[in-house]
Amino acid sequence: MTSTLDTIEPANVSPTETEEVHLYETIIEARSNWRLLDWKELYNYRDLLRFLVWREVKVRYAQSAIGIGWAIIQPVFSMIVFTVIFGKLAKVGSDGSPYALFSLSALVPWTYFSNSLVDGTNSLVTEANMLKKVYFPRILMPLSAVFAKLVDFSIAMTLLLVLMIFFQTPPTWGVLMIPILILLMMFTAFGLACWLTAFAIQYRDVKHAMNFVVQLLMYAAPVVYPASLIPAKYQMYYALNPMVAVIEGFRSALLGTRPMPWQFIAIGILSSTCITLTGILYFNRKERIFADVA
């Protein structure tokens, strides 16, 4: 018995046409435990970062009667309390500026920093289910908290400018330094959030201690008092807290309470860079265990 094998050609395909087959190869390589940011990967996930930032803003004001007014209430109420207690009763100096302006010019950057730090620290714990379901650069979580709080910061800054007009206090040329001070503020919040969120997902005590920690940090920065109260021999050590440079820089730029504190800013930039780089390194070091301990 013989059999015939017929060749079946695809319809509508010319014998002269050739079909190209493209093969793609994905190579998975182990990454070093100690590494900084993968900028290419972050760029590829930029849409996710935008979504996380927008969700942070949306969730904050969802089903809220006051809505975005909370961005004003928090610094305003703190300003009123500080003005009464420290300005009127304790007679704390304000470098010749009205104490309401003096305290609000510090509370605007400090409120941003504290809220970013708390939300950034809790970001991985809050999104524990997301960590277990899909891969994405985990560092986007604290980063999104830092960017989302810029909305509240912008609203509070508008309020501060309105109060400056009311008190007839014009800004100085130092306003040119405001963008640098904002970047310093953001990098500091991001660096500390990287450290603390890596701790918080493994040790839940960190989450519960954050309100207490932030309150202590506030008194380690010149929020309710001027940096001039610190003895001169200790001021360089005091400036290791980057928020000292940010707050005193804001006051110098907006109120003219003192010359621009260049030494504070230089030390603050070095300190913030150290905090941020080590925070990223430690975060990436611990990243592989996040899904297991979340």
Side-chain angles (χ1 to χ4, degrees), residues 38-48 50 137 140:
D38 186 340
W39 294 104
K40 182 178 180 181
E41 185 179 49
L42 289 180
Y43 179 79
N44 292 336
Y45 282 88
R46 64 191 182 279
D47 291 332
L48 177 59
R50 281 196 293 264
L140 291 181

Side-chain angles (χ1 to χ4, degrees), residues 223-238:
V223 177
V224 299
Y225 58 87
S228 57
L229 290 182
I230 304 299
K233 61 181 179 179
Y234 297 123
Q235 287 201 357
M236 293 300 101
Y237 301 104
Y238 182 61

Side-chain angles (χ1 to χ4, degrees), residues 80-208:
I80 294 172
V81 171
F82 290 165
T83 300
V84 172
I85 295 177
F86 296 101
K88 300 296 183 182
L89 299 180
K91 303 295 184 182
V92 175
S94 57
D95 288 341
S97 178
Y99 194 89
L101 266 181
F102 177 83
S103 59
L104 187 60
S105 61
L107 282 167
V108 169
W110 178 259
T111 301
Y112 166 85
F113 171 77
S114 60
N115 289 341
S116 298
L117 186 58
V118 171
D119 286 4
T121 299
N122 296 333
S123 59
L124 292 181
V125 177
T126 305
E127 301 297 338
N129 290 331
M130 188 175 174
L131 295 179
K132 299 175 182 179
K133 291 180 179 178
V134 63
Y135 172 77
F136 60 93
R138 290 1 186 179
I139 207 162
L140 291 181
M141 304 305 297
L143 189 60
S144 65
V146 170
F147 279 114
K149 295 307 174 190
L150 286 175
V151 175
D152 289 0
F153 175 77
S154 301
I155 297 171
M157 275 296 294
T158 302
L159 172 66
L160 176 57
L161 294 177
V162 170
L163 201 63
M164 289 172 60
I165 294 173
F166 176 79
F167 281 102
Q168 298 181 350
T169 303
T172 69
W173 64 268
V175 292
L176 298 175
M177 285 293 296
I178 291 293
I180 295 176
L181 296 173
I182 291 174
L183 287 176
L184 178 58
M185 174 181 70
M186 292 175 64
F187 271 102
T188 304
F190 175 61
L192 282 175
C194 285
W195 272 106
L196 293 175
T197 194
F199 283 128
I201 199 166
Q202 195 168 6
Y203 308 105
R204 300 306 165 90
D205 296 342
V206 175
K207 177 182 177 181
H208 303 303

Side-chain angles (χ1 to χ4, degrees), residues 261-289:
W262 298 113
Q263 287 185 322
F264 285 177
I265 292 173
I267 295 173
I269 289 174
L270 291 176
S271 178
S272 179
T273 301
C274 181
I275 291 170
T276 303
L277 291 180
T278 55
I280 293 172
L281 287 171
Y282 183 76
F283 185 95
N284 289 333
R285 168 79 175 174
K286 293 293 183 179
E287 184 177 5
R288 62 183 59 194
I289 68 169

